[in-house]
C-alpha cells in the first residue's frame, strides 16, 4: 500500500453540514489559505424530472432566473454581481440545476443573498421570456451544428430510448417555442422545494455566517417532496444522423456501468484504465499504433440511477469498421485480465482527480452537493481514498466481463451511410 492516502487526506478544512427545518441542507467548506470563495445553490431537478411535453423547461428556467426578480431587473442583477467582481453563472444537467457566484470570500454573504433572490424571487416577465426564447433557439442551433453534441444525444437515445434520462437538456425547438410563464411558475412550485435544495459555500468563508444567512434566506421555503430519479434500463442499439459538411465520423459507444449507489469506483477505474490517458490501451492502440483516430477516449458517466462507459472517437469513414472491431477486441482483452501497471495508472489518476476537487472551492462544493443528493451524507476524503484503493484488479476485470454481455449503444454522425457498424462491434465483443 502506498502512502498516497496520507497525502490526499489532508483537507484544508472539515466540511460543516447543517439542515434547516424545511429540509434545505447547508454545507460550508472553509479553506483558510484562500481569499476567494464559491457560493452556489444546487436544485435537484433537471431534464430527467421533466414531462415529455415540457422537455427543456429546467434549462429554460435556469436562463429566466436572471431576467428579473421582485426587486431587481436583469440589468441590476448583472451589475450587482460585477460591482463586487464576481462571476455569476448557472448550468443545467440531467438531474440538477446549479446557480453560482465566484468572488472574494469577504463577499460570500452578499453573493448568497444575490443567489437567493434569483432562485426564489424571479418573476419571469413576459417580455423577457420572449427575448430569452429567441436566445435559447439560437443556442439550440449552435448545439445542432456541433456534431459531438448531436452524437452525445444520439447515444442517450440509443442507450435509454424514450426513458426520461434520454431527453435532451436543452429540449427541442417545439418545446422551447411553447413553454409559457405559467409553466415556469408551476415548475418552480413543484421542484424548487427545501427537500431538493443544497446551499453551499467553499473557500474563504465562515461556516456560522453562511448557515445564518441560509436560514434567513431559505428558511421559509416549503419542504416539498424530494425528487428521486427513476430506475433506468439500458437498451442498446444504433442511432445515426447524416450531416452534410463534415468529412469525419463522430462516434460514441455506451455500455452499462454500476451507478453511484452500486460501488461505482470499480466502474470509474475501468473507464479510466481503458481510455483515460495517452498510455491507456484504447488510446495507445487506436491512435498510436493503428492511426485510426486523432481523438479517442473513454470516461464513466455516472448518476444515482445510471452508469455508462462512454467511448468517444472521431475517425474517417473508411476506418470506422476497423475502429469498431478494435474497440471490441480491446474490451475483451480487459475482461481476460487487468495489467498491473494500468491499474496503478488508473488508480492514481482518480486519486489526483479527488485531490483537485478538494483544492478548488467550486469543485469541492459541487462534489459535496452530489454526495448529499445521492447518499444523503458527506463522504470525506479518507473514505474516498479507501474506496479507490480497495478496488481490486478482479473487480475491474469483472466490470469488463459484464460490459461484454450488454448490447452496446452507439451514436454516430457522418456525411454518408454508416454501414454495418453495430454488427461489427457486437461481433468483436462476442
Amino acid at each position: 500500500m502506498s502512502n498516497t492516502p496520507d497525502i490526499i487526506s489532508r483537507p484544508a478544512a472539515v466540511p460543516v453540514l447543517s439542515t434547516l427545518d424545511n429540509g434545505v441542507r447547508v454545507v460550508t467548506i472553509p479553506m483558510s489559505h484562500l481569499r476567494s470563495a464559491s457560493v452556489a445553490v444546487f436544485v435537484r431537478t433537471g431534464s430527467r424530472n421533466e414531462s415529455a411535453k415540457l422537455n427543456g423547461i429546467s434549462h429554460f428556467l435556469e436562463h429566466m432566473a436572471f431576467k428579473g426578480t421582485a426587486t431587481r431587473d436583469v440589468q441590476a442583477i448583472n451589475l450587482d454581481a460585477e460591482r463586487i467582481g464576481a462571476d455569476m453563472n448557472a448550468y443545467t444537467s440531467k438531474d440538477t440545476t446549479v446557480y453560482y457566484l465566484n468572488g472574494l470570500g469577504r463577499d460570500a454573504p452578499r453573493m448568497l443573498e444575490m443567489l437567493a433572490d434569483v432562485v426564489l424571487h424571479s418573476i419571469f416577465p413576459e417580455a423577457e421570456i420572449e427575448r430569452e426564447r429567441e436566445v435559447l433557439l439560437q443556442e439550440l442551433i449552435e448545439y445542432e451544428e456541433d456534431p459531438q453534441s448531436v452524437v452525445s444525444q444520439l447515444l442517450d437515445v440509443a442507450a435509454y430510448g424514450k426513458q426520461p434520462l434520454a431527453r435532451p437538456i436543452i429540449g427541442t425547438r417545439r418545446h422551447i417555442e411553447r413553454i409559457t410563464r405559467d409553466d415556469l411558475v408551476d415548475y418552480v412550485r413543484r421542484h424548487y422545494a427545501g427537500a431538493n435544495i443544497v446551499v453551499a459555500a467553499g473557500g474563504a468563508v465562515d461556516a456560522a455566517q453562511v448557515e445564518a444567512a441560509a436560514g434567513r434566506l431559505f428558511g421559509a421555503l416549503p419542504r416539498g417532496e424530494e425528487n428521486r430519479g427513476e430506475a433506468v434500463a439500458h437498451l442498446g442499439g444504433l442511432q445515426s444522423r447524416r450531416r452534410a459538411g463534415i468529412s469525419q465520423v463522430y462516434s460514441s459507444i455506451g455500455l452499462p456501468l454500476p451507478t453511484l449507489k452500486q460501488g461505482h469506483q470499480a466502474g470509474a477505474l475501468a473507464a479510466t484504465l481503458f481510455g483515460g490517458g495517452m498510455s491507456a490501451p484504447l488510446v495507445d492502440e487506436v491512435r498510436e499504433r493503428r492511426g485510426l483516430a486523432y481523438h479517442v477516449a473513454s470516461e464513466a458517466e455516472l448518476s444515482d440511477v445510471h452508469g455508462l462507459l462512454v467511448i468517444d472517437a472521431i475517425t474517417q469513414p473508411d476506418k470506422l469498421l476497423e475502429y469498431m472491431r478494435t474497440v471490441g477486441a480491446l474490451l475483451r482483452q480487459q475482461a481476460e485480465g487487468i495489467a498491473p501497471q494500468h491499474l496503478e495508472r488508473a488508480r492514481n489518476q482518480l486519486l489526483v482527480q479527488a485531490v483537485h476537487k478538494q483544492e478548488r472551492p467550486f469543485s469541492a462544493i459541487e462534489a459535496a452537493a452530489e454526495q448529499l443528493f445521492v447518499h444523503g451524507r458527506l463522504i470525506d476524503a479518507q473514505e474516498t481514498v479507501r474506496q479507490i484503493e480497495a478496488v481490486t484488479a478482479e473487480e475491474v476485470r469483472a466490470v469488463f466481463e459484464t460490459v461484454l454481455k450488454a448490447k452496446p449503444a452507439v451514436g454516430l454522425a457522418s456525411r454518408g451511410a454508416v454501414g454495418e457498424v453495430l454488427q461489427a462491434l457486437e461481433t468483436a465483443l462476442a
Side-chain angles (χ1 to χ4, degrees), residues 236-302:
L238 173 66
Q239 292 286 325
S240 64
R241 185 173 300 175
R242 290 195 179 191
R243 296 294 303 269
I246 61 173
S247 59
Q248 296 177 298
V249 179
Y250 289 73
S251 165
S252 194
I253 300 168
L255 292 154
L257 291 177
T259 72
L260 287 176
K261 290 187 173 182
Q262 298 174 328
H264 71 282
Q265 296 292 4
L269 266 170
T272 303
L273 182 149
F274 188 62
M278 293 299 293
S279 65
L282 174 70
V283 183
D284 183 60
E285 186 68 22
V286 168
R287 173 177 165 153
E288 302 300 326
R289 297 180 186 275
R290 294 177 181 254
L292 297 177
Y294 171 71
H295 167 72
V296 62
S298 69
E299 65 178 358
E301 180 185 296
L302 304 169

Side-chain angles (χ1 to χ4, degrees), residues 234 253-258 266-267 270-271 274 307-311 327-328 330-332 334-335 395-409 425-426 429-430:
H234 178 92
I253 300 168
L255 292 154
L257 291 177
F274 188 62
L308 201 64
L309 170 62
V310 179
I311 305 167
V327 170
L330 289 169
L331 288 168
R332 281 193 290 104
Q334 304 311 310
E395 289 172 323
V396 176
R397 189 204 64 77
V399 169
F400 285 104
E401 186 174 52
T402 301
V403 158
L404 296 181
K405 299 175 182 177
K407 183 178 182 64
L425 178 58
E426 289 182 320
L429 290 171

Side-chain angles (χ1 to χ4, degrees), residues 183-199:
D183 293 329
L184 296 172
V185 171
D186 183 62
Y187 192 80
V188 169
R189 180 186 60 79
R190 289 187 292 113
H191 297 283
Y192 280 49
N196 293 319
I197 287 180
V198 169
V199 175

Side-chain angles (χ1 to χ4, degrees), residues 11-59:
V14 177
V16 179
L17 174 65
S18 62
T19 304
L20 305 183
D21 290 342
N22 61 355
V24 172
R25 285 161 286 189
V26 184
V27 59
T28 310
I29 305 179
M31 300 176 179
S32 59
H33 61 292
L34 298 181
R35 296 182 181 179
S36 64
S38 294
V39 180
V41 177
F42 298 85
V43 187
R44 190 60 161 179
T45 188
S47 56
R48 76 181 192 186
N49 303 105
E50 300 164 352
S51 67
K53 179 182 178 182
L54 293 177
N55 177 213
I57 192 171
S58 302
H59 182 250

Side-chain angles (χ1 to χ4, degrees), residues 176 239 325 333 391 408:
I176 293 171
Q239 292 286 325
R325 296 186 189 103
Q333 286 178 15
V391 178

Side-chain angles (χ1 to χ4, degrees), residues 27-329:
V27 59
T28 310
I29 305 179
M31 300 176 179
S32 59
H33 61 292
L34 298 181
R35 296 182 181 179
S36 64
S38 294
V39 180
V41 177
F42 298 85
V43 187
R44 190 60 161 179
T45 188
S47 56
R48 76 181 192 186
N49 303 105
E50 300 164 352
S51 67
K53 179 182 178 182
L54 293 177
N55 177 213
I57 192 171
S58 302
H59 182 250
F60 201 128
L61 177 58
E62 171 222 310
H63 278 238
M64 283 305 305
F66 299 99
K67 301 305 176 182
T69 70
T71 58
R72 299 186 296 164
D73 61 16
V74 59
Q75 285 74 29
I77 290 170
N78 292 331
L79 181 59
D80 283 351
E82 292 174 359
R83 284 179 65 187
I84 62 172
D87 169 40
M88 179 173 62
N89 215 327
Y91 70 83
T92 305
S93 70
K94 293 180 183 297
D95 54 30
T96 309
T97 308
V98 184
Y99 304 86
Y100 64 91
L101 278 158
N102 296 318
L104 295 176
R106 70 185 185 191
D107 296 318
R110 177 62 181 142
M111 289 192 284
L112 187 53
E113 289 176 357
M114 293 180 188
L115 289 175
D117 190 34
V118 299
V119 172
L120 303 180
H121 305 301
S122 290
I123 57 175
F124 313 125
E126 291 283 4
E128 293 292 345
I129 289 175
E130 295 312 312
R131 272 192 286 269
E132 202 59 26
R133 196 188 309 277
E134 293 304 313
V135 171
L136 286 164
L137 289 172
Q138 293 178 48
E139 183 181 354
L140 179 64
I141 292 171
E142 181 178 336
Y143 169 88
E144 291 176 336
E145 290 180 348
D146 175 25
Q148 191 61 63
S149 297
V150 170
V151 164
S152 294
Q153 180 57 40
L154 291 172
L155 177 65
D156 285 343
V157 176
Y160 304 115
K162 295 183 178 181
Q163 298 174 91
L165 197 67
R167 291 174 187 150
I169 293 169
I170 195 170
T172 67
R173 174 174 289 274
R174 178 169 58 92
H175 292 114
I176 293 171
E177 288 178 340
R178 72 183 182 189
I179 289 173
T180 67
R181 183 180 185 279
D182 286 344
D183 293 329
L184 296 172
V185 171
D186 183 62
Y187 192 80
V188 169
R189 180 186 60 79
R190 289 187 292 113
H191 297 283
Y192 280 49
N196 293 319
I197 287 180
V198 169
V199 175
V205 295
D206 178 85
Q209 194 177 52
V210 171
E211 183 178 346
R216 173 172 52 85
L217 296 166
F218 291 86
L221 193 65
R223 172 180 288 272
E225 294 186 9
E226 181 181 359
N227 280 341
R228 298 182 182 275
E230 299 178 6
V232 295
H234 178 92
L235 304 178
L238 173 66
Q239 292 286 325
S240 64
R241 185 173 300 175
R242 290 195 179 191
R243 296 294 303 269
I246 61 173
S247 59
Q248 296 177 298
V249 179
Y250 289 73
S251 165
S252 194
I253 300 168
L255 292 154
L257 291 177
T259 72
L260 287 176
K261 290 187 173 182
Q262 298 174 328
H264 71 282
Q265 296 292 4
L269 266 170
T272 303
L273 182 149
F274 188 62
M278 293 299 293
S279 65
L282 174 70
V283 183
D284 183 60
E285 186 68 22
V286 168
R287 173 177 165 153
E288 302 300 326
R289 297 180 186 275
R290 294 177 181 254
L292 297 177
Y294 171 71
H295 167 72
V296 62
S298 69
E299 65 178 358
E301 180 185 296
L302 304 169
S303 78
D304 54 338
V305 299
H306 89 295
L308 201 64
L309 170 62
V310 179
I311 305 167
D312 286 326
I314 305 172
T315 186
Q316 296 293 322
D318 61 347
K319 293 180 171 62
L320 180 59
L321 291 182
E322 184 183 354
Y323 164 73
M324 289 291 171
R325 296 186 189 103
T326 301
V327 170

